């Protein structure tokens, strides 16, 4: 699917009800193709991805394009102040619904597993969700303000609307390059740490660390996590070499993050990661406990990061899948 | 949240209001000959009437819905394009609108001279 088709699909998603969407999009598509062809004639060559994106950016935000055909979807606004716009609104509602669903399911499980007083517990449980809903709302409002500001600062740029339509975005080189450098550094540090154990901790924590060793359980996860890191490095390297494979990182990163997320609980359950020799000094045992506590905290932190990543990447993948399947349906229908 | 409009903003708003009717008139006039959106926009631009795509296409649909335009999808240069032309009702109304335009222009000239 070309970036033009992605763009038209994004417009389709915002077009109001009652509009002949296929007709509008066919006309817009023809117009944009004519513009691209004219530009190609001027340049005497095919347009690059970024040049195609510039043609689309000149037509504008898919939401604004759709808005010209009638009022687009709902949002939350107080007078002129828009808290959550129509672009973010479906995602916002989806996140709230997901949180509610998780809580309802967990509550139903609790009711069946343990005798929980249903009618007294239910209002309390729902009330406890209120702060979460407020935090989600504030977070979305913050993103809205940030995106709106960036769009106001650069009205002709595409970054503002690309934020909510990530499946339109080609993988930017800076992202891949910085990710490649970061992950390579982490992997190198990892390999160095592993190869120099226990000299590496001793350099950081002093002599007691020499009496520590990595637990046997940890060695199981070591290779898996290292493999995930190497996949990340390879992914970014491929993106740098072949930017046209813009669709590849999102599903692959989703898989990597799901695997990483699935490892969180086993890693936490297999603690301790670091053990002290039975004959070690108390200082070494304290150090082992401290390192284990820190690693557990770090694992929980990464777990949250992976969870958010999985949710975000799943949203992006869903966007891809929805647009690809609707495009395929239209192609099939068109013969 | 927004500051008072500047003179430039006020002028821009008034200019848009002034132009909007003229753009419809010019579009109807150009569609005495058949065009599709892309060429219509170019022809209008060549005549000095710039119009954004996001204004042109919804306007064409509105005019068609009102019965002033007729449209059909046809293949040209190996691609399907939607061609628009003035309907019989559109022709009648265009003539009436041009009469109105002439009268308005004459009145405005008198008002302008009077100052």
């Amino acid at each position: 699917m070309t970036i033009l088709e992605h763009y038209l699909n994004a417009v389709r998603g915002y077009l109001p009800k009652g509009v002949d969407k296929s007709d509008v999009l066919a006309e817009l598509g023809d117009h944009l193709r004519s513009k691209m062809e004219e530009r190609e004639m001027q340049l005497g060559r095919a347009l690059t991805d970024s040049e195609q994106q510039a043609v689309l950016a000149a037509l504008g935000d898919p939401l604004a394009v759709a808005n010209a055909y009638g009022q687009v979807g709902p949002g939350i606004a107080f007078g002129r102040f828009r808290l959550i716009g129509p672009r973010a609104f479906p995602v916002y509602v989806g996140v709230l619904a997901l949180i509610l669903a998780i809580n309802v399911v967990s509550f139903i499980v609790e009711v069946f597993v343990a005798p929980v007083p249903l009618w007294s517990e239910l209002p309390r449980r729902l009330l406890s969700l209120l702060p979460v809903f407020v935090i989600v709302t504030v977070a979305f409002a913050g993103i809205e303000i940030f995106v709106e500001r960036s769009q106001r600062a650069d009205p002709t740029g595409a970054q503002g609307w690309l934020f909510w339509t990530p499946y339109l975005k080609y993988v930017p080189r800076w992202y891949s390059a910085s990710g490649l450098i970061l992950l390579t550094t982490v992997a190198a540090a990892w390999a160095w740490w592993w190869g120099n154990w226990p000299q590496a901790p001793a350099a950081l924590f002093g002599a007691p660390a020499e009496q520590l060793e990595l637990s046997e359980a940890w060695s199981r996860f070591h290779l898996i996590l290292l493999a995930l890191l190497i996949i990340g490095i390879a992914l970014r390297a491929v993106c740098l070499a072949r930017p046209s494979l813009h669709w590849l990182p999102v599903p692959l990163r989703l898989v990597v993050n799901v695997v990483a997320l699935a490892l969180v609980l086993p890693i936490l359950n297999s603690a301790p990661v670091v053990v002290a020799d039975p004959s070690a000094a108390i200082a070494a045992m304290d150090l082992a406990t401290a390192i284990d506590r820190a690693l557990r905290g770090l694992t929980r932190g990464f777990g949250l990061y992976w969870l958010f990543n999985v949710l975000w990447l799943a949203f992006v993948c869903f966007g891809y899948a929805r647009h690809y399947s609707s495009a395929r349906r239209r192609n099939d229908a068109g013969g | 949240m927004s500051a008072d409009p500047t003179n430039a903003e006020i002028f821009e708003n008034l200019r848009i209001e002034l132009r909007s009717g003229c753009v419809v008139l010019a579009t109807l006039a150009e569609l005495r000959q058949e065009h599709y959106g892309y060429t219509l926009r170019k022809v209008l631009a060549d005549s000095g009437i710039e119009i954004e795509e996001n204004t042109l296409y919804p306007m064409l649909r509105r005019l068609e819905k009102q019965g002033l335009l007729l449209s059909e999808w046809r293949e040209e240069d190996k691609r399907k394009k939607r061609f628009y032309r003035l309907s019989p009702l559109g022709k009648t109304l265009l003539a009436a609108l041009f009469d109105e335009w002439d009268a308005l222009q004459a009145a405005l000239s008198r008002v302008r001279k009077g100052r």
Side-chain angles (χ1 to χ4, degrees), chain B residues 23-38:
Chain B
V23 165
V24 174
L25 195 58
T27 303
L28 289 174
E30 282 298 349
L31 286 175
R32 284 174 296 192
Q33 277 190 332
E34 196 176 59
H35 285 289
Y36 58 92
Y38 188 73

Side-chain angles (χ1 to χ4, degrees), chain A residues 55-330:
Chain A
V55 171
L56 302 177
L59 186 63
D61 182 347
L63 179 76
V65 173
N67 209 26
Y69 292 89
Q71 188 66 43
V72 298
I76 300 177
F78 299 101
R80 288 185 64 191
F81 179 70
R82 198 171 69 186
L83 191 66
I84 296 169
R87 207 193 316 267
F89 192 74
V91 188
Y92 167 72
V93 171
V95 169
L96 290 189
L98 184 73
I99 293 170
L100 191 65
I102 290 170
N103 275 274
V104 167
V105 170
S106 69
F107 183 63
I108 290 169
V109 170
E110 264 182 60
V111 167
F112 277 102
V113 171
V116 179
L118 180 68
W119 298 115
S120 61
E121 186 64 13
L122 187 63
R124 198 191 65 79
R125 191 63 73 88
L126 287 175
L127 215 61
S128 71
L129 282 181
L130 205 61
V132 181
F133 279 21
V134 170
I135 289 168
V136 171
T137 307
V138 169
F140 269 84
I143 293 170
E144 182 82 29
I145 290 168
F146 167 74
V147 173
E148 286 298 310
R149 264 196 197 160
S150 66
Q151 204 156 14
R152 264 207 301 273
D154 181 16
T156 54
Q159 290 310 312
W161 50 269
L162 280 176
F163 185 88
W164 292 113
T165 46
Y167 36 86
L168 288 180
K169 194 174 184 172
Y170 275 65
V171 175
R173 279 167 180 267
W174 63 266
Y175 165 80
S176 296
S178 64
L180 186 65
I181 292 165
L182 180 72
L183 282 185
T184 308
T185 311
V186 172
W190 185 290
W192 178 78
W193 175 277
W194 202 257
N196 289 286
W197 181 268
Q199 288 85 351
L204 279 174
F205 304 114
E210 286 172 8
Q211 294 175 296
L212 304 181
E213 56 186 51
L214 291 163
S215 74
E216 219 171 279
W218 179 240
S219 57
R220 282 206 305 272
F221 300 111
H222 156 69
L223 279 177
I224 303 173
L225 289 174
L226 194 61
L228 291 178
L229 259 175
I230 290 168
I231 290 171
I233 293 169
L235 178 66
R236 280 161 174 81
V238 167
C239 288
L240 269 180
R242 298 282 300 276
S244 59
L245 295 173
H246 59 95
W247 53 271
L248 181 67
V250 175
L252 209 58
R253 278 185 64 207
L254 179 63
V255 173
V256 168
N257 277 273
V258 166
V259 174
L261 189 62
L263 286 176
V264 171
L265 263 183
I267 288 175
L268 288 175
N269 287 338
S270 73
V273 174
V274 177
V275 288
D277 198 287
S279 60
I282 293 174
M285 290 183 178
D286 289 345
L287 183 60
T289 313
I291 290 176
D292 272 325
R293 200 180 299 138
L295 286 177
R296 275 168 164 274
L298 201 66
T299 308
R300 282 198 196 95
F302 266 107
L304 269 180
Y305 166 73
W306 287 325
L307 177 66
F308 281 118
N309 256 356
V310 164
L311 290 174
W312 171 246
L313 293 167
F315 162 67
V316 177
C317 275
F318 175 70
Y320 268 124
R322 200 161 57 97
H323 290 286
Y324 273 98
S325 68
S326 63
R328 178 174 281 188
R329 272 202 307 276
R330 280 198 308 281

Side-chain angles (χ1 to χ4, degrees), chain A residues 35-45:
Chain A
K35 274 184 96 170
M36 285 181 183
E37 281 169 8
E38 190 184 14
R39 187 91 185 101
E40 281 175 344
M41 293 265 281
Q42 286 168 353
L43 296 170
R45 58 168 172 79

